[in-house]
Amino acid sequence: MTKRVRVRRNDSPLSPAAYWRLRFFSPLIMLVGMAAGAILIVRSILVWGVDGDEYPFGPDIPISAAALLLWVGAVALLMLPPRGVIALRSGPFDSRRLVWSLGRRFRAWNMIAAPIAGLAVFFSLSAVVLAVVSVVAAPAEAWLLALGTVALAAIAIGLGVLQMRGALHGLQLTPTHLIAHGYLWTRRYPRGEIVSINAVEVKFWPSILLRALTNRDARHTIQLSLANGAEPVLLASNSRETDVQAGAEIIRVWRSAAAD
């Protein structure tokens, strides 16, 4: 009996060019989701959760709800890349491609969590404003309040950047470089400098940190060996072992194709 092989259909309504444009603007799209989610949640609580007429229903509520619906549609499109942008072991590698299996679980979680993350950023920034006011009002205790302000600001900025990069998260292959879009920054590795690609387990402390940030437990990731002796671990590819193994094989084929 022949085993049927499931082939992914091109179920995205976008062309590869349109998808890449949408992906380019994805940080702005995620920012809209965060802002709309925070406004809608806060205003809904004030309007329907507080007795009295102090917080009336306003146009900001339907506007933020409409923006959130548009964000949901954009996220759905970003999570359904057309076949022409996904890297396969069979190639080709003559244009930029996504290694879609790498970082997939975290990418989905970060994107879905954007409205709640926006609420967390809102409260963090509100606390920063209150701390700054307190520093001005009580200069004798300014040093302690200043430390708290810096910590809260760092949390808000870090969480905001993490969520804005949600759609970018993962590995991308171009004809000349492997690009790792991590949680907070992007790293680029020249194709000719990559000696080997290995699937490894994430060390204890990075694993704990990733679990705290993303509410997901995936212990495997990609590690590169470079010609200069460096061995960077690409936490952007953190996923289940089967996904990491499949992604590593795709990258090996991409690297070997450089000689063709």
Side-chain angles (χ1 to χ4, degrees):
M1 181 177 179
T2 304
K3 184 178 179 180
R4 295 182 62 186
V5 178
R6 184 179 179 182
V7 179
R8 185 185 185 279
R9 295 179 180 178
N10 186 10
D11 50 359
S12 174
L14 298 178
S15 66
Y19 181 84
W20 286 119
R21 285 195 294 270
L22 186 67
R23 182 178 168 87
F24 177 80
F25 289 106
S26 64
L28 179 59
I29 293 170
M30 297 302 293
L31 182 61
V32 169
M34 292 170 62
I39 293 172
L40 184 61
I41 294 171
V42 171
R43 287 286 286 130
S44 298
I45 292 173
L46 293 176
V47 172
W48 292 290
V50 177
D51 294 332
D53 300 326
E54 184 178 358
Y55 301 102
F57 182 92
D60 56 328
I61 293 180
I63 290 174
S64 59
L68 201 59
L69 286 176
L70 290 175
W71 169 80
V72 169
V75 166
L77 292 174
L78 286 166
M79 292 300 293
L80 288 173
R83 187 177 179 84
V85 306
I86 296 178
L88 304 173
R89 282 188 295 179
S90 57
F93 300 108
D94 55 351
S95 62
R96 52 182 170 169
R97 302 276 174 158
L98 298 174
V99 188
W100 190 247
S101 66
L102 298 179
R104 177 168 49 191
R105 299 174 72 205
F106 296 104
R107 180 168 52 244
W109 170 255
N110 288 346
M111 295 175 71
I112 293 171
I116 302 302
L119 186 63
V121 171
F122 170 79
F123 283 125
S124 297
L125 292 178
S126 298
V128 169
V129 173
L130 291 175
V132 171
V133 172
S134 299
V135 168
V136 175
E141 302 176 359
W143 67 272
L144 183 59
L145 291 172
L147 289 177
T149 302
V150 171
L152 287 171
I155 291 173
I157 293 172
L159 184 58
V161 171
L162 186 151
Q163 292 299 325
M164 289 176 64
R165 293 175 60 83
L168 298 175
H169 181 75
L171 300 190
Q172 177 181 330
L173 304 176
T174 75
T176 58
H177 286 78
L178 182 154
I179 304 174
H181 294 287
Y183 293 96
L184 298 176
W185 51 74
T186 295
R187 292 186 290 177
R188 300 170 63 91
Y189 301 94
R191 187 178 189 173
E193 296 296 316
I194 300 174
V195 176
S196 64
I197 302 98
N198 303 296
V200 299
E201 290 191 13
V202 181
K203 293 183 179 179
F204 178 76
W205 287 115
S207 176
I208 294 296
L209 179 60
L210 289 174
R211 183 175 179 82
L213 287 174
T214 63
N215 195 32
R216 290 293 183 273
D217 185 16
R219 300 183 181 278
H220 292 80
T221 193
I222 295 290
Q223 183 178 40
L224 303 179
S225 294
L226 305 181
N228 62 6
E231 296 185 335
V233 175
L234 309 183
L235 294 180
S237 63
N238 189 223
S239 190
R240 294 176 297 185
E241 183 177 10
T242 53
D243 289 340
V244 173
Q245 293 285 1
E249 183 59 28
I250 291 172
I251 300 172
R252 292 187 189 106
V253 174
W254 165 80
R255 173 185 167 274
S256 298
D260 297 340

